[in-house]
Amino acid sequence: MIHLETDSLRFEFQSKVAGFLKSSIKTLESPLSEVDAIEYKPSLFSTKLELRFKSLQHAQEFPEADANEVVSELKRRDRSDAKTFVRKVKLQLVSKDLDSMLEMTNETLGQ
C-alpha cells in the first residue's frame, strides 16, 4: 500500500520469502522532494506502477528495487485506485515545483 502524506509517500508492504512465506509488515517513508517520477503503466496482460527516485538511497530499501526505480505489478481490482493515486501524486509534485519557482522568483525580485 502507498499513502500520500502532505510532504511524503508512506509505503507499507510485506516481502515474500521463498515465494510464499510473508515477512512482517515494513513501513518506509520517502519525501516527495526525492521522487523523480511516478507512472501508471497499463498493458494488455498487466498494469504496473513505476516509481523513480532522484537518488539510489531511497530505492534501496525496497525488495523489488532496480537502481533508483521501484516497479510494482497491480492487481486488477486496484487499477482504478492506482490511476487516481498517480494523478494525485503528480499534482502534488507539480504544486511543490510551482511553490519552489514562486519562492525563487520572489527572492530574485527582492520581495
Side-chain angles (χ1 to χ4, degrees):
M1 295 185 84
I2 306 174
H3 306 277
L4 177 60
E5 306 292 337
T6 304
D7 290 324
S8 64
L9 293 176
R10 185 172 43 90
F11 303 87
E12 296 176 335
F13 61 92
Q14 283 182 307
S15 300
K16 288 186 179 180
V17 179
F20 60 92
L21 296 173
K22 292 182 179 177
S23 68
S24 60
I25 296 172
K26 287 182 91 175
T27 302
L28 298 173
E29 193 156 336
S30 294
L32 283 175
S33 61
E34 290 300 319
V35 175
D36 189 37
I38 185 167
E39 297 295 332
Y40 176 83
K41 299 273 187 152
S43 70
L44 187 58
F45 298 107
S46 68
T47 301
K48 295 178 182 177
L49 181 69
E50 295 180 2
L51 181 62
R52 192 171 50 253
F53 292 99
K54 292 178 181 175
S55 70
L56 297 173
Q57 178 182 2
H58 292 282
Q60 72 183 359
E61 296 182 40
F62 292 89
E64 66 274 2
D66 181 23
N68 66 332
E69 190 170 80
V70 176
V71 178
S72 182
E73 194 163 322
L74 302 172
K75 294 180 180 178
R76 185 178 301 268
R77 70 174 185 252
D78 296 330
R79 290 178 183 177
S80 177
D81 289 341
K83 198 172 189 177
T84 302
F85 178 78
V86 168
R87 286 183 185 141
K88 287 179 181 179
V89 172
K90 285 183 174 187
L91 183 61
Q92 188 78 354
L93 290 171
V94 168
S95 176
K96 297 259 182 228
D97 286 346
L98 289 173
D99 287 346
S100 177
M101 286 180 199
L102 182 60
E103 188 175 304
M104 287 175 22
T105 302
N106 286 339
E107 288 174 5
T108 303
L109 297 174
Q111 296 178 350

